[in-house]
Amino acid sequence: MDYSPPPLFKQGASARVRVVFFAVLAIFLLVVDSRLKSLTLVRQILGSVLYPVQMVAVMPRDTVKRASDYFVSVTTLEKENTQLKHQQTQNADTLQQTGHLMAENTHLRKLLDARERLQVKSVMAEIIYDARDPASRKVIIDRGIKHGLTLSQPVIDDKGVVGQVTRVFPLTAEVTLLTDKNQAIPVQILRNGLRSVAYGRGQSSYLDMRLTTNADIQNGDQLVTSGIDGIYPPGLAVAKVVQVENKANTTFESILCVPTAGIDRNKQLLVLLVSADNLSRPDTEDVRAKKEKINRKVTRDAAAPTSDTKPVDQPMKDLPVKDGAVKETPAKDATGKDAPPKDAEAKDAPATAKEPKT
């Protein structure tokens, strides 16, 4: 008795063949994208196409949030309004002091004939949702290439550095936070100017920094951007040192820092439109080896050779005269050349017979 499914359900290839085909296709696309970087345009097109779907997906969440905010009690709103007014008064005082300090700093810079710092352009962005990978520390913002965003631009909030733009699409962009395990930022200790690099720890909300055991660092030191990378403007608040651990089996201190910015708390961010196109790329190993070889050759050729030997072909008139000796000067012939000595003429002359005496 035949128990096979009717012909209606036997259309197309089997499920096993389709699984193998799509698995091979996915691996091929991963290899092509990682090696040739040829799917960037396709990814941007897909991001633009999926943007309305993303907006529709987050619409229920926004609707529920608006409804909950609408039914907030009047007492809570009045309390929040009072706190905001008090905070506004404090911010006004701080703003006035900052304006006075900036004016004084500008005046001192002019007196020292120093170059004034240029203002960096920025654009306001809002976080749409977190990245799909739970192991990474990334967020998606609602600004992209259309708004002037490019790769490696710093992202800050009202307290300090939040992260860096690592992927851009026409209407959205991906921001990698400072606490991501693959993120690093050059920092400088505000108290003594010591420079180092801070690294993310992944799922942890802290940053790591390594310094030698004799480095001058203490708990509570403020870390700011050093600006030596050409991407982060100098002076932006990054983190605060909370723990300095010195191990006996190593020459480095393990330093634990907490970010100053609200990495997981803020929804509105500020993207600094810093251009990284004019940064010079580091030389490759071959170029560095050629430069070192040329420098060694130039240094070797520039060194003057030293010799203690005296010249052999010294003219007669330059030789020292001994005591009691008469200095002889070679005679000149009619052509102006040195005449042969008398002894040589006597040897070369033919022997003549002596006349007999009478």
Side-chain angles (χ1 to χ4, degrees), residues 22-42:
F22 285 109
V24 172
L25 180 61
I27 295 173
F28 174 76
L29 292 177
L30 288 174
V31 172
V32 170
D33 187 30
S34 62
R35 297 294 182 182
L36 303 179
K37 305 295 184 181
S38 60
L39 298 180
T40 304
L41 181 60
V42 177

Side-chain angles (χ1 to χ4, degrees), residues 7-266:
L8 180 62
F9 298 95
K10 292 183 178 181
Q11 297 178 0
S14 62
R16 184 176 301 175
V17 174
R18 279 182 277 181
V19 169
V20 173
F21 172 77
F22 285 109
V24 172
L25 180 61
I27 295 173
F28 174 76
L29 292 177
L30 288 174
V31 172
V32 170
D33 187 30
S34 62
R35 297 294 182 182
L36 303 179
K37 305 295 184 181
S38 60
L39 298 180
T40 304
L41 181 60
V42 177
R43 190 183 296 108
Q44 293 181 357
I45 294 174
L46 291 177
S48 302
V49 173
L50 294 178
Y51 180 76
V53 179
Q54 296 173 357
M55 293 294 99
V56 173
V58 299
M59 189 178 297
R61 182 199 65 182
D62 296 338
T63 304
V64 173
K65 186 176 180 180
R66 293 192 188 95
S68 61
D69 294 338
Y70 179 79
F71 293 101
V72 173
S73 61
V74 178
T75 305
T76 305
L77 291 176
E78 290 179 354
K79 183 178 179 180
E80 184 178 359
N81 191 16
T82 303
Q83 293 178 355
L84 290 176
K85 287 183 178 180
H86 183 65
Q87 184 177 0
Q88 183 180 3
T89 304
Q90 292 180 350
N91 291 338
D93 186 16
T94 305
L95 182 62
Q96 292 178 3
Q97 293 180 0
T98 304
H100 174 70
L101 292 176
M102 290 180 63
E104 185 178 0
N105 190 16
T106 304
H107 178 64
L108 292 176
R109 285 178 179 272
K110 290 181 178 180
L111 291 178
L112 297 175
D113 196 17
R115 183 179 179 181
E116 298 181 2
R117 181 181 300 178
L118 298 176
Q119 298 293 334
V120 180
K121 295 182 180 180
S122 60
V123 60
M124 185 70 67
E126 185 174 354
I127 298 176
I128 303 176
Y129 58 88
D130 293 339
R132 295 180 294 274
D133 187 5
S136 63
R137 306 285 292 173
K138 300 178 181 180
V139 294
I140 308 300
I141 58 177
D142 60 349
R143 293 292 184 269
I145 300 176
K146 181 180 178 182
H147 307 90
L149 269 65
T150 58
L151 294 177
S152 303
Q153 288 179 340
V155 181
I156 65 173
D157 62 357
D158 58 336
K159 296 181 180 179
V161 180
V162 174
Q164 190 177 18
V165 178
T166 54
R167 187 179 294 180
V168 290
F169 300 99
L171 299 176
T172 59
E174 180 186 75
V175 177
T176 301
L177 305 179
L178 288 181
T179 53
D180 188 84
K181 60 183 179 180
N182 296 323
Q183 190 71 5
I185 180 173
V187 296
Q188 186 177 16
I189 301 177
L190 190 61
R191 178 172 56 87
N192 54 16
L194 186 62
R195 293 194 300 269
S196 182
V197 179
Y199 301 91
R201 304 185 64 184
Q203 294 296 329
S204 176
S205 59
Y206 294 92
L207 302 177
D208 277 335
M209 189 172 65
R210 295 297 179 90
L211 289 174
T212 56
T213 53
N214 57 353
D216 182 14
I217 187 168
Q218 303 173 1
N219 290 338
D221 283 345
Q222 297 289 336
L223 304 180
V224 297
T225 53
S226 61
I228 60 175
D229 57 346
I231 297 177
Y232 291 95
L236 298 178
V238 178
K240 179 181 179 181
V241 177
V242 295
Q243 181 180 352
V244 179
E245 181 180 358
N246 186 6
K247 297 182 180 180
N249 57 352
T250 181
T251 58
F252 292 92
E253 292 181 349
S254 180
I255 303 167
L256 196 64
C257 310
V258 59
T260 305
I263 300 295
D264 299 327
R265 296 187 297 271
N266 297 325

